[in-house]
Amino acid sequence: MAETLKGLNSLLVHEGEAPDPVTGSVTPPIYQTSTFAFPTNESMADFMNEQKAGYIYTRLGNPNFTVAEAKIARLEGAENALMVSSGMAAVATALMASCGSGDHLIAHADIYGGTFGLLHDLLPRFGVETSFMDLRDPAALGAALRPETKVVYLETPSNPTLRLADIAAIAEIAHSRGVQVIVDNTFATPVNQQPLALGADAVIHSGTKYLNGHSDVIAGAIAGTAEFILACSDVARKLGGTLNAFDAWLLGRGLKTLGLRVGKQNENGQAVAEYLATHAAVREVLYPGLPSHPQHLLAKRQMKGYGGVLSVRLQGGQEAIDRFLDRVQLFARAVSLGSVESLITQPVAAVHRFVPPEFQAMGGITTDLVRIAVGIEDADDLIRDLEQALA
Ligand SMILES: Cc1ncc(COP(=O)(O)O)c(C=O)c1O
């Protein structure tokens, strides 16, 4: 739809959908089907020969995927997008479309624990090696690139220490050596940051988080050039990790309020970060929206908002952390982030538990770190809850 639509919230509501031409249903029907019938054998042949658009089998595509893909592609400023069954499927699919045996990757040291496991434990079994490095200093990248390096992979802000990488500077160095840059834009969302406009080649998302936003779907997305998305579709179809119609429909519905939700989460993140920065029990607050963040200037340049995730280093050891986490009432003690409700977790106890200590150290993931993902509740209530829990 609608090249005329320019505003983010208009795009989120209208892109990729219109009232159903058969019934007038204002919301897209859920195409809960595994297979699609063709009116004639010839029309099936035309579809197979790519002379006719359509659907044949949900592992290969479904109208509910198309709605979400159209919105995500437009939001990220990409030629095309692909929905897959999880954020991990998105990372794996994008990397398998880019690399093969003998290739080398460079990854930001501070990344989601599951992604670390994929790069560190699984991909080497298929001949793909990863060097982990601190990409906060883009100048260090040049020396680390090898002739066989195919991808620089980064999260910015990173999970869980909210470190940033300068996407434009990294893309310039990588491109000068023919290397592709893939950015996990889960934390920022396209509302706050558009990596493709900064020079990245492709973006991946855990759609489980902000894109869906309601803690009821596991999904992933990849956005990039039409050529790259075609290569990713080929991998995804062969791996079989495609999404299902109902989850794609829920995600399409969740996307309609992404701008409103992220706007509120930016406000809540900033308010909670500023409050915690003044609290005696808190040693350090990691949030790109605070002037004390070492890369605050980069955040201002590269991001339109600073998001709903912050991490804090607490005083008082494990006992103090247990007490704090056990006392919060509004925040659910749960992994994940980006949803309407606020969540809290100690990374070393859960998501980053299996990241080896030397890589935890490189990523700044210490035992005193607590990650807070604010929802869309009222900031005053969140602060009151944190205050009583820290008292
Ligand atoms: C930044 C980031 N990327 C990717 C993933 C993986 O996403 P999923 O759990 O949807 O597979 C996560 C999950 O927490 C994440 O935080």
Side-chain angles (χ1 to χ4, degrees):
M1 156 181 286
E3 285 308 311
T4 52
L5 287 178
K6 293 274 184 266
L8 173 81
N9 293 305
S10 311
L11 280 177
L12 283 164
V13 174
H14 293 290
E15 184 68 26
E17 59 184 276
D20 179 47
V22 178
T23 61
S25 168
V26 169
T27 59
I30 302 170
Y31 293 88
Q32 191 67 34
T33 183
S34 58
T35 189
F36 296 82
F38 288 83
T40 62
N41 201 31
E42 193 187 0
S43 63
M44 187 184 271
D46 287 347
F47 172 84
M48 295 305 290
N49 293 331
E50 296 179 6
Q51 283 162 359
K52 216 173 181 180
Y55 302 92
I56 184 166
Y57 187 62
T58 283
R59 177 162 50 76
L60 312 180
N62 177 293
N64 294 118
F65 303 173
T66 309
V67 171
E69 286 165 354
K71 289 185 198 294
I72 292 167
R74 193 75 190 273
L75 284 173
E76 290 286 7
E79 286 175 5
N80 213 343
L82 176 72
M83 295 307 307
V84 286
S85 58
S86 67
M88 284 310 303
V91 181
T93 301
L95 293 178
M96 286 181 80
S98 308
C99 303
S101 180
D103 289 341
H104 172 247
L105 304 174
I106 291 181
H108 202 20
D110 180 23
I111 50 175
Y112 169 61
T115 307
F116 177 86
L118 172 74
L119 299 175
H120 185 262
D121 305 334
L122 190 58
L123 289 187
R125 284 169 43 192
F126 300 90
V128 178
E129 189 197 333
T130 301
S131 302
F132 295 91
M133 60 181 291
D134 189 342
L135 286 173
R136 283 176 298 178
D137 175 14
L141 179 60
L145 291 169
R146 305 179 192 165
E148 64 275 21
T149 308
K150 286 290 184 314
V151 173
V152 176
Y153 180 87
L154 52 103
E155 284 175 24
T156 179
S158 64
N159 184 3
T161 50
L162 287 298
R163 291 178 176 176
L164 305 189
D166 185 334
I167 297 171
I170 287 170
E172 196 180 326
I173 297 166
H175 291 166
S176 73
R177 305 275 288 273
V179 174
Q180 195 188 3
V181 176
I182 301 181
V183 176
D184 181 334
N185 203 27
T186 300
F187 266 45
T189 82
V191 177
N192 285 334
Q193 175 174 275
Q194 291 185 298
L196 301 183
L198 293 163
D201 300 283
V203 162
I204 74 100
H205 278 279
S206 169
T208 313
K209 311 297 184 323
Y210 290 97
L211 298 189
N212 178 61
H214 294 75
S215 295
D216 50 14
V217 163
I218 298 284
I222 310 166
T225 61
E227 190 187 356
F228 183 63
I229 295 303
L230 198 62
C232 289
S233 303
D234 185 51
V235 172
R237 290 166 174 205
K238 287 176 175 140
L239 285 176
T242 33
L243 196 57
N244 64 77
F246 184 49
D247 283 351
W249 183 89
L250 281 171
L251 191 129
R253 187 181 69 160
L255 275 171
K256 293 182 189 195
T257 55
L258 180 73
L260 303 178
R261 287 185 281 107
V262 171
K264 178 69 176 151
Q265 283 160 313
N266 287 341
E267 284 171 25
N268 283 354
Q270 188 74 35
V272 167
E274 283 174 11
Y275 163 72
L276 289 172
T278 64
H279 201 289
V282 176
R283 200 157 59 73
E284 190 182 6
V285 180
L286 311 174
Y287 184 67
L290 290 181
S292 59
H293 188 287
Q295 295 168 293
H296 181 57
L297 290 181
L298 172 61
K300 278 170 94 169
R301 200 164 70 233
Q302 167 165 292
M303 303 178 77
K304 296 184 203 122
Y306 305 117
V309 184
L310 58 139
S311 290
V312 290
R313 298 193 201 279
L314 286 189
Q315 313 272 17
Q318 188 61 40
E319 205 183 308
I321 290 181
D322 289 343
R323 215 169 34 235
F324 173 52
L325 291 183
D326 290 349
R327 280 188 188 172
V328 286
Q329 290 167 8
L330 265 187
F331 291 79
R333 285 168 292 281
V335 297
S336 203
L337 55 107
S339 192
V340 290
E341 65 285 319
S342 294
L343 307 174
I344 193 162
T345 182
Q346 183 185 16
V348 292
V351 176
H352 290 79
R353 190 181 185 95
F354 301 109
V355 174
E358 68 270 27
F359 290 100
Q360 288 187 2
M362 204 191 283
I365 304 162
T366 47
T367 51
D368 61 354
L369 195 71
V370 172
R371 189 184 74 188
I372 298 173
V374 295
I376 60 165
E377 303 95 334
D378 295 299
D380 288 350
D381 287 331
L382 296 178
I383 289 170
R384 248 193 310 277
D385 191 31
L386 294 170
E387 192 166 33
Q388 66 77 24
L390 285 169

